[in-house]
Amino acid sequence: MELDSALLSLNQTVSGPGPFILLGVPGLEGLHGWIAVPVCLLYLASLVGNTLLLGLVAVDKTLQAPMYQLLGLLAAADLILATSTVPKALAVLWGLSDEISFAGCLAQLFVAHVAFIAESSVLLAMAVDRYVAICQPLRYGALLSQRVVGMVAVAAVTRGACVMAPPVVLLQRLPYCGHRALPHTYCEHMGVARLACGDTRPNIWYGLATTLLSPALDLGLIGASYALILRAVCRLPSSGARYKTLGTCGAHAGVIVLFYTPALFSFLAHRFGHHTVPGHIHILLANLYVVVPPALNPVVYGVRTKQITQRLRHLLQRARKVGTDMPAVPHTLSV
């Protein structure tokens, strides 16, 4: 019996366990179809908004300033974060496909978490960009350039990959003893680790350390940047400029809260509130941070930016003009 168990563990270590079954939102199985509707609409909005914003920043030569290039990086991170998780989540909620291979599960959680960490890094860079632009305007050109934006992009992806490579190795080394049912709509690090029948303490402590040193640290630095920005804004002589800047900072703060709060809650609930937080609350919040911020970011950071709004209006006007200038196709009647 012990020999069979050892052989099973060895076989799983080499080839991995069988495919996992994603159960969706536990306790709300009868509402899966209704839950999928807003998730699908938000995903479509994120696809359209971020693709349009990314294409506009990439093609339009008037949008080559660091601020707009950072918006392009944010749009790219949003597309990857949403697309790596939401299509599979919709397939699970609609009952189309609930299986995912072990390799596919590891790939999904790696890409999703790397995209999340990269987006967090870009949000931090954008907060620093706004701080320099408002509080140190004379040094803006020297401190922030296209080269710096390129370094931010490389550093964001490298940081995410370095943070997420060890959990993938740790998950591959765990025995799963035939456990396949995963109560989630997509694969998360600790969600998969909970299925293991081995010692998951390294996963728990590593996950906690990276949560505190990655998104939690970024959130603290972003908060400090906006606090300095608000202090500088409150000293502006013009009340109109103060209200405009406060409105913009308020919108940014709202999206940042929607991005970090559900994510940090999900990460920490896996480690400390696994038996106290209701499963459906945990899974719903985990789906919230991969679909709501990607849908809102193009509006809050893009459409509310004057230059991008002007370019969008220009493109729409050109599209209408092309549509009206097209010659009508003559219709012929056959007898």
Side-chain angles (χ1 to χ4, degrees):
M1 192 69 179
E2 294 181 357
L3 179 59
D4 292 341
S5 177
L7 289 175
L8 176 61
S9 178
L10 178 61
N11 181 59
Q12 288 187 347
T13 302
V14 174
S15 61
F20 292 141
I21 306 297
L22 295 168
L23 302 180
V25 185
L28 299 179
E29 290 82 2
L31 298 177
H32 276 182
W34 292 103
I35 296 172
V37 173
V39 172
C40 181
L41 293 177
L42 287 169
Y43 177 58
L44 291 176
S46 70
L47 282 182
V48 173
N50 286 295
T51 301
L52 183 61
L53 180 59
L54 183 60
L56 196 62
V57 171
V59 173
D60 199 319
K61 294 182 179 179
T62 64
L63 300 177
Q64 298 302 307
M67 179 179 71
Y68 304 119
Q69 292 181 331
L70 288 172
L71 285 176
L73 293 180
L74 182 67
D78 278 332
L79 284 172
I80 296 172
L81 177 62
T83 303
S84 63
T85 54
V86 177
K88 186 60 183 180
L90 290 174
V92 172
L93 294 173
W94 279 327
L96 301 176
S97 173
D98 57 4
E99 282 195 359
I100 185 168
S101 67
F102 182 62
C105 189
L106 293 182
Q108 184 186 55
L109 69 88
F110 179 80
V111 172
H113 284 76
V114 168
F116 176 84
I117 295 170
E119 179 162 345
S120 179
S121 302
V122 173
L123 287 173
L124 175 58
M126 291 174 65
V128 173
D129 173 83
R130 291 299 83 207
Y131 166 76
V132 175
I134 294 173
C135 301
Q136 305 284 338
L138 298 179
R139 302 180 62 190
Y140 184 84
L143 294 176
L144 292 165
S145 62
Q146 292 185 358
R147 181 172 176 271
V148 172
V149 174
M151 293 171 62
V152 168
V154 174
V157 176
T158 303
R159 179 193 187 196
C162 291
V163 168
M164 284 311 300
V168 171
V169 175
L170 290 173
L171 289 173
Q172 287 178 320
R173 294 171 62 88
L174 286 172
Y176 292 88
C177 304
H179 299 159
R180 300 176 57 205
L182 180 60
H184 212 307
T185 54
Y186 60 89
C187 292
E188 277 190 323
H189 168 215
M190 284 308 302
V192 176
R194 293 287 177 188
L195 298 180
C197 52
D199 185 8
T200 61
R201 284 177 297 179
N203 299 73
I204 294 173
W205 289 111
Y206 182 84
L208 177 61
T210 54
T211 299
L212 296 176
L213 295 175
S214 185
L217 177 62
D218 291 350
L219 180 59
L221 294 174
I222 290 171
S225 297
Y226 276 102
L228 294 173
I229 290 172
L230 290 176
R231 188 181 69 173
V233 168
C234 291
R235 297 176 179 175
L236 293 176
S238 171
S239 60
R242 284 201 302 269
Y243 289 134
K244 182 179 178 181
T245 306
L246 287 174
T248 301
C249 290
H252 291 184
V255 174
I256 288 170
V257 168
L258 278 175
F259 179 69
Y260 282 104
T261 303
L264 291 174
F265 180 87
S266 176
F267 296 161
L268 296 175
H270 265 310
R271 291 152 181 89
F272 301 111
H274 185 63
H275 299 291
T276 57
V277 178
H280 64 281
I281 298 296
H282 180 195
I283 305 306
L284 288 174
L285 287 175
N287 281 274
L288 187 67
Y289 80 84
V290 299
V291 70
V292 174
L296 293 180
N297 283 342
V299 178
V300 173
Y301 290 104
V303 176
R304 288 175 62 94
T305 303
K306 182 179 179 181
Q307 186 75 1
I308 291 179
T309 303
Q310 291 176 346
R311 300 308 298 171
L312 284 174
R313 288 175 180 171
H314 178 67
L315 287 177
L316 290 174
Q317 290 173 356
R318 288 184 60 183
R320 288 199 196 101
K321 185 177 180 181
V322 170
T324 55
D325 291 346
M326 289 183 64
V329 178
H331 296 278
T332 58
L333 295 176
S334 57
V335 181

